[in-house]
Amino acid sequence: MTTSTLRPALLPGVALFVVLASGCQSYDELVTKDQVCEQRWADYQAALQRRADLVPNLVETVKAGAKQEQATLTAVIEARAKATSIQLSGEDLTDPAKVAAFEKAQGDLKGALSRLMVVQEAYPDLKSNQGFRELQVQLEGTENRILRAREQYNAAVAAYNTELKKIRGMAINKVTGKPFKERVYFTASADAQNAPQVKF
């Protein structure tokens, strides 16, 4: 067999190799981006856990200085219990209803904590309490961590969903039996669309 007849015979094999290599690379890309989403989700969960761990300390501190605020304290305790009882797995992050229920519980806890922070204005002793102030600073820091974790999770979801929607991503997903599902973004609640009113 001469070189000129050998080249056409090798072309299908070379083309198949290129397609397979490209397909493996695209599959690996989807796996990598999916794992980044999982890691960002775990970071978000860690920030939520930090907040949940701070709540009992905050409640106990407020209890000592503001006994009359039992209803507010009870609301915080109940919101924390509900927020920590709803757990999402990686598979649940493709279900908008489950993500919405999770976010509602977290929003309820955040709202209850906001009302608890307002309590300090009515109680000068509590306002000047060093323990309360330290907890308040930690809670504010935690809320910032939660916001950052949500932003990073959404960025990871954007990269993953974009890769999944590309032609090569759709092709790889179809060929492999569709193991990759689009993930749900975290979005602002309907209440967040209204500017807060400041009253003096």
Side-chain angles (χ1 to χ4, degrees):
M1 206 179 257
T2 64
T3 306
S4 59
T5 57
L6 196 63
R7 280 188 195 141
L10 287 177
L11 282 177
V14 170
L16 180 62
F17 176 76
V18 168
V19 167
L20 286 174
S22 176
C24 288
Q25 184 179 6
S26 294
Y27 183 84
D28 289 348
E29 186 76 19
L30 281 170
V31 169
T32 300
K33 290 183 184 306
D34 186 47
Q35 288 304 303
V36 170
C37 287
E38 288 287 336
Q39 187 238 325
R40 295 297 186 205
W41 172 249
D43 292 345
Y44 177 59
Q45 291 282 71
L48 293 177
Q49 184 62 53
R50 185 174 194 270
R51 177 172 65 184
D53 292 344
L54 280 173
V55 168
N57 294 327
L58 184 61
V59 167
E60 287 304 314
T61 303
V62 174
K63 256 187 201 175
K67 292 184 171 62
Q68 297 90 331
E69 296 298 329
Q70 192 58 45
T72 303
L73 295 170
T74 302
V76 170
I77 292 166
E78 289 172 356
R80 177 191 181 267
K82 186 172 181 187
T84 56
S85 71
I86 298 176
Q87 300 295 320
L88 295 182
S89 68
E91 290 179 13
D92 293 332
L93 296 173
T94 61
D95 185 341
K98 288 181 180 177
V99 172
F102 178 84
E103 275 299 282
K104 182 180 180 326
Q106 294 302 325
D108 290 347
L109 176 55
K110 186 174 181 179
L113 285 171
S114 296
R115 288 188 296 280
L116 184 60
M117 289 302 171
V118 171
V119 167
Q120 70 166 321
E121 297 301 324
Y123 299 93
D125 290 344
L126 183 60
K127 195 172 183 179
S128 63
N129 179 309
Q130 185 64 30
F132 180 84
R133 285 171 45 201
E134 286 174 12
L135 281 171
Q136 187 177 19
V137 167
Q138 283 196 33
L139 200 54
E140 287 170 2
T142 300
E143 291 301 327
N144 288 335
R145 283 187 175 100
I146 290 170
L147 175 62
R148 181 158 169 69
R150 283 175 60 130
E151 289 170 347
Q152 289 176 333
Y153 174 78
N154 277 349
V157 168
Y160 168 76
N161 285 352
T162 300
E163 190 65 31
L164 191 57
K165 288 180 179 180
K166 288 181 179 176
I167 292 173
R168 67 180 179 204
M170 289 189 297
I172 291 299
N173 202 23
K174 188 171 184 177
V175 168
T176 56
K178 297 191 177 182
F180 301 103
K181 294 185 175 85
E182 202 172 324
R183 288 181 180 257
V184 179
Y185 289 100
F186 284 127
T187 56
S189 67
D191 295 340
Q193 306 305 319
N194 302 320
Q197 293 183 350
V198 179
K199 294 180 181 176
F200 295 102

